Amino acid sequence: MSAKQIVLAARPKGLPDASTFRFENVEVKSPAEGEVRIKGLYYSVDPYMRGRMSDAKSYAAPFEVDQPIVGGIVAEVLESKAPGIAVGDLVTGRVPWATEVTVPATELSRIDPSIAPPSHFLGILGMPGLTAYFGLMDIGKPKAGETVLVSGAAGAVGTVVGQLAKQAGCRVVGIAGSDEKTELLKHEFGFDEAINYKTTPDITAAIAAACPDGVDVYFDNVGGEISDAAIMNLNFHSRIALCGQIAHYNATEVPMGPRLFPRLLTRKVLLKGFIVSDYIDRVQEGFAALAKGVKEGKLKYRETVVEGFDKLPEAFLSLFSGENKGKMIVKA
Amino acid sequence: MSAKQIVLAARPKGLPDASTFRFENVEVKSPAEGEVRIKGLYYSVDPYMRGRMSDAKSYAAPFEVDQPIVGGIVAEVLESKAPGIAVGDLVTGRVPWATEVTVPATELSRIDPSIAPPSHFLGILGMPGLTAYFGLMDIGKPKAGETVLVSGAAGAVGTVVGQLAKQAGCRVVGIAGSDEKTELLKHEFGFDEAINYKTTPDITAAIAAACPDGVDVYFDNVGGEISDAAIMNLNFHSRIALCGQIAHYNATEVPMGPRLFPRLLTRKVLLKGFIVSDYIDRVQEGFAALAKGVKEGKLKYRETVVEGFDKLPEAFLSLFSGENKGKMIVKA
């Protein structure tokens, strides 16, 4: 059997482009003992993958040049030599970007499509949802009556953060990059206010107006000038859940900006950088909370779906121009 | 009775100088019920006081222009109308900078000179010692075998942090501004290594050399380029106890520097800005630990003593040129 796969053609300098990726035809080997052969149904593209394209030391090992990109997938089992996994099962995991691939079953988890549509397991019931849950609950620790500010609010993580913060009884303000997104935040996801940073002349003042009691929790998905403005509005003893810095992922030089430590000190701020895998021991707790919200209709979910395996590079690149509303997914 | 006091003559722009202060002669009123009249023996000058000379919102209310500077003191009671405080008692508290002053007894605590010399209650057994204890223990949470890096290491807080970290079984590296200080750190305070940032061409490389296993806890008293270099050496899941930012206290514009959030994210760092008063409920615990160390000779202590009440402004200003080794004290 042959399949198409996508490899890292070259490490990008700055913004990746089509030349970052290369399509290849490969033979798909038959599964050995403990392995399964799967066919991709949905592929996840996520901003953190930009980090793995560089060779800088980070929490995840870099992708290797000429080796497949590895990402989140929902797949159907075509052939199984692993106990407990049957042909036709739906599974999720992080595997090479390929139309078909044979991998150890230990890399995969079965998903239960009675809980939610399969693609949800790449979003609200997967890495982004768990990221939102643990970052907000464990670092942000929102209390009823507090104000939670979310940057990248219309993305896969931000939409979940905002809804969880509302459930916690907080005033919730989101920052996003278009009026369409800010409308969505207010009218579909229940944010109290939303700020379009692209059309707001003074983001610091806009946050101050939207957060009249200041900001108690800042959930940061973006970094840069938006975070500078957020930090000017932090209350004493506020918390920053440092989740993403997409503003800087394509930087070719060390980005410069105002020094924030003096403000973090005088406001006695707690900041924590985190990765969802830090909470591997608590995945069941997070999944259960998110699944309950989804099943009861209390957590809304939105995807931007691009059709076609060949569109994976394009879909990934569009994350950096903010074209997704909610989770960006590629459907095979 | 008349006394001399020191008032804030004008809010400094940038580095304070002699014109920031004005000496005045004032009448000292007799104590009313619940008040005591005290004579200053030792006065504390501390970097945080620069913040109170500005009118920016911070954790402590600003000093008022034409009103006395308020600071830590060890004093002798000359006259008492407060129950439980007798003439001749030694007390500590934060009171106006004056040779004599009448204040409510509730502003003062009695000190026990059998524990240590009175001036220690402004240093290792006072605010700086408690700052070191709580910042290191509660935020840094050092574990045996880890590496603790301290900036401003030869100061009132840093010398205590380093010794407590050694007691916790850590490798301890200090950064200070002269060879005399680095020698002191290594040979008197037991630091494993010390770096003179003024003569080191590449602080990042010097920290890497002194911390071959990376940095697990960074206790930051200074900010600026020293912190940039420290952060380049942080390990995964490291902690920053954000205690002081003396590099920026006299800044007249927002200081600029490399953006640190991307690194704090990928290294999954915990950072916490704190003030000793956050730990008001645990003062007894901290004091007991420090007093035990001092009495048993396991915590060494050093003061730079300037003689004469009139030298208070000068002693305060010298903090910013780093002239103190250990705690800077003015003896009346």
Side-chain angles (χ1 to χ4, degrees):
Chain A
M1 298 135 298
S2 83
K4 264 193 287 194
Q5 71 176 15
I6 304 174
V7 303
L8 181 65
R11 297 201 185 284
K13 291 183 176 48
L15 194 65
D17 59 23
S19 73
T20 304
F21 305 94
R22 188 175 67 242
F23 285 81
E24 291 181 346
N25 288 308
V26 285
E27 278 301 296
V28 184
K29 61 173 187 162
S30 286
E33 203 56 45
E35 291 185 332
V36 294
R37 181 163 63 91
I38 58 176
K39 177 178 81 168
L41 303 178
Y42 299 96
Y43 297 82
S44 185
V45 291
D46 298 284
Y48 83 87
M49 300 174 76
R50 174 64 184 86
R52 299 194 68 185
M53 294 175 184
S54 303
D55 56 7
K57 180 181 174 187
S58 184
Y59 51 87
F63 297 134
E64 296 299 329
V65 173
D66 295 330
Q67 294 296 314
I69 304 286
V70 172
I73 189 174
V74 164
E76 181 184 342
V77 175
L78 298 180
E79 194 178 353
S80 174
K81 287 202 175 161
I85 296 197
V87 171
D89 278 355
L90 295 181
V91 293
T92 185
R94 284 196 202 178
V95 302
W97 272 5
T99 52
E100 279 188 28
V101 66
T102 295
V103 293
T106 50
E107 301 286 305
L108 303 168
S109 318
R110 283 203 306 170
I111 63 173
D112 177 356
S114 75
I115 297 173
S119 64
H120 283 44
F121 291 81
L122 297 176
I124 193 165
L125 298 181
M127 181 274 289
L130 292 167
T131 299
Y133 178 84
F134 290 115
L136 182 68
M137 296 309 188
D138 195 65
I139 299 169
K141 290 187 165 51
K143 291 190 280 285
E146 288 190 328
T147 297
V148 175
L149 177 67
V150 189
S151 62
V157 174
T159 50
V160 182
V161 170
Q163 294 180 88
L164 292 174
K166 279 306 293 178
Q167 291 185 0
C170 296
R171 177 175 179 81
V172 178
V173 176
I175 306 174
S178 74
D179 287 345
E180 197 185 348
K181 289 180 180 176
T182 57
E183 289 303 302
L184 200 65
L185 291 175
K186 285 189 283 187
H187 300 122
E188 183 164 328
F189 292 108
F191 284 58
D192 295 290
E193 282 294 340
I195 297 164
N196 178 350
Y197 72 89
K198 287 191 180 165
T199 57
T200 301
D202 182 340
I203 305 174
T204 305
I207 295 171
C211 305
D213 297 328
V215 173
D216 299 295
V217 177
Y218 174 47
F219 195 106
D220 186 15
N221 290 306
V222 302
E225 292 178 11
I226 291 171
S227 290
D228 300 339
I231 285 164
M232 292 304 290
N233 285 286
L234 288 178
N235 286 333
F236 290 113
H237 294 293
S238 50
R239 290 81 69 194
I240 300 176
L242 188 59
C243 176
Q245 294 282 285
I246 197 170
H248 308 304
Y249 290 166
N250 294 308
T252 51
E253 297 183 351
V254 175
M256 303 292 283
R259 288 189 178 277
L260 304 171
F261 277 27
R263 173 66 62 142
L264 298 179
L265 171 55
T266 55
R267 290 292 194 271
K268 308 192 263 193
V269 175
L270 170 78
L271 174 149
K272 178 78 181 71
F274 76 104
I275 309 295
V276 66
S277 57
D278 298 341
Y279 295 96
I280 191 87
D281 294 343
R282 289 171 59 190
V283 164
Q284 292 311 318
E285 167 200 334
F287 184 84
L290 294 163
K292 183 167 186 288
V294 169
K295 284 184 99 164
E296 294 177 353
K298 288 179 182 162
L299 288 177
K300 294 187 178 168
Y301 183 58
R302 178 177 274 251
E303 289 170 342
T304 298
V305 180
V306 172
E307 303 234 351
F309 178 82
D310 293 355
K311 294 286 180 60
L312 262 170
E314 199 175 300
F316 172 73
L317 298 176
S318 74
L319 292 171
F320 299 98
S321 48
E323 286 172 34
N324 56 307
K325 287 181 285 290
K327 178 71 183 103
M328 176 71 99
I329 293 282
V330 174
K331 185 173 184 297
Chain B
M1 297 135 299
S2 83
K4 264 195 285 193
Q5 72 176 13
I6 304 175
V7 302
L8 181 65
R11 298 201 184 283
K13 291 185 176 47
L15 194 65
D17 59 23
S19 73
T20 304
F21 305 94
R22 189 175 66 242
F23 285 82
E24 292 181 344
N25 287 307
V26 285
E27 277 302 297
V28 184
K29 61 173 186 163
S30 287
E33 203 55 46
E35 290 185 334
V36 294
R37 182 163 62 92
I38 59 177
K39 177 179 81 170
L41 302 179
Y42 298 96
Y43 298 82
S44 185
V45 292
D46 298 284
Y48 82 88
M49 299 174 78
R50 174 64 184 85
R52 299 194 68 183
M53 294 175 183
S54 303
D55 54 8
K57 180 181 173 187
S58 183
Y59 52 86
F63 296 135
E64 296 298 329
V65 173
D66 295 330
Q67 294 295 315
I69 305 287
V70 172
I73 188 174
V74 163
E76 181 185 343
V77 175
L78 299 180
E79 194 179 352
S80 174
K81 287 202 177 161
I85 297 199
V87 171
D89 279 355
L90 294 182
V91 291
T92 185
R94 284 197 202 175
V95 302
W97 272 4
T99 52
E100 280 189 27
V101 66
T102 296
V103 293
T106 50
E107 301 287 304
L108 302 168
S109 318
R110 283 202 305 170
I111 63 174
D112 176 355
S114 76
I115 297 174
S119 64
H120 283 43
F121 291 81
L122 297 176
I124 194 165
L125 297 181
M127 181 274 290
L130 292 166
T131 298
Y133 178 86
F134 289 115
L136 182 68
M137 296 308 188
D138 195 65
I139 299 168
K141 290 186 165 54
K143 291 190 279 285
E146 288 191 328
T147 298
V148 175
L149 177 68
V150 189
S151 62
V157 174
T159 49
V160 182
V161 170
Q163 294 180 90
L164 292 174
K166 279 307 294 178
Q167 292 186 358
C170 296
R171 177 174 179 81
V172 178
V173 176
I175 306 174
S178 73
D179 288 345
E180 197 185 347
K181 289 180 181 176
T182 57
E183 289 303 301
L184 200 65
L185 291 175
K186 285 189 283 187
H187 301 123
E188 184 164 328
F189 292 109
F191 285 57
D192 295 289
E193 280 295 339
I195 296 164
N196 178 352
Y197 73 88
K198 287 191 181 167
T199 57
T200 301
D202 183 339
I203 305 174
T204 305
I207 295 170
C211 305
D213 297 327
V215 173
D216 299 295
V217 177
Y218 173 47
F219 196 107
D220 186 15
N221 290 306
V222 302
E225 292 177 10
I226 291 172
S227 290
D228 300 340
I231 285 164
M232 292 304 290
N233 285 285
L234 288 179
N235 285 334
F236 290 113
H237 294 294
S238 51
R239 290 80 71 193
I240 300 175
L242 187 60
C243 176
Q245 293 282 286
I246 196 169
H248 307 304
Y249 291 166
N250 295 307
T252 51
E253 297 182 351
V254 175
M256 303 292 283
R259 288 190 177 277
L260 304 171
F261 277 27
R263 173 66 61 142
L264 298 180
L265 171 55
T266 55
R267 290 292 193 271
K268 308 192 264 192
V269 175
L270 170 78
L271 173 150
K272 179 77 180 71
F274 76 104
I275 308 296
V276 66
S277 57
D278 298 341
Y279 295 96
I280 190 87
D281 294 342
R282 290 172 58 189
V283 163
Q284 292 310 317
E285 168 200 334
F287 184 84
L290 294 163
K292 183 168 185 289
V294 169
K295 285 183 98 165
E296 294 176 354
K298 289 179 183 163
L299 288 177
K300 294 188 178 168
Y301 183 58
R302 179 178 273 252
E303 291 171 341
T304 298
V305 180
V306 173
E307 303 235 349
F309 178 81
D310 292 356
K311 294 284 179 61
L312 262 170
E314 200 175 301
F316 171 74
L317 298 176
S318 74
L319 293 171
F320 299 97
S321 48
E323 287 173 34
N324 57 306
K325 289 181 283 290
K327 179 71 183 105
M328 177 70 98
I329 293 281
V330 174
K331 185 173 185 296

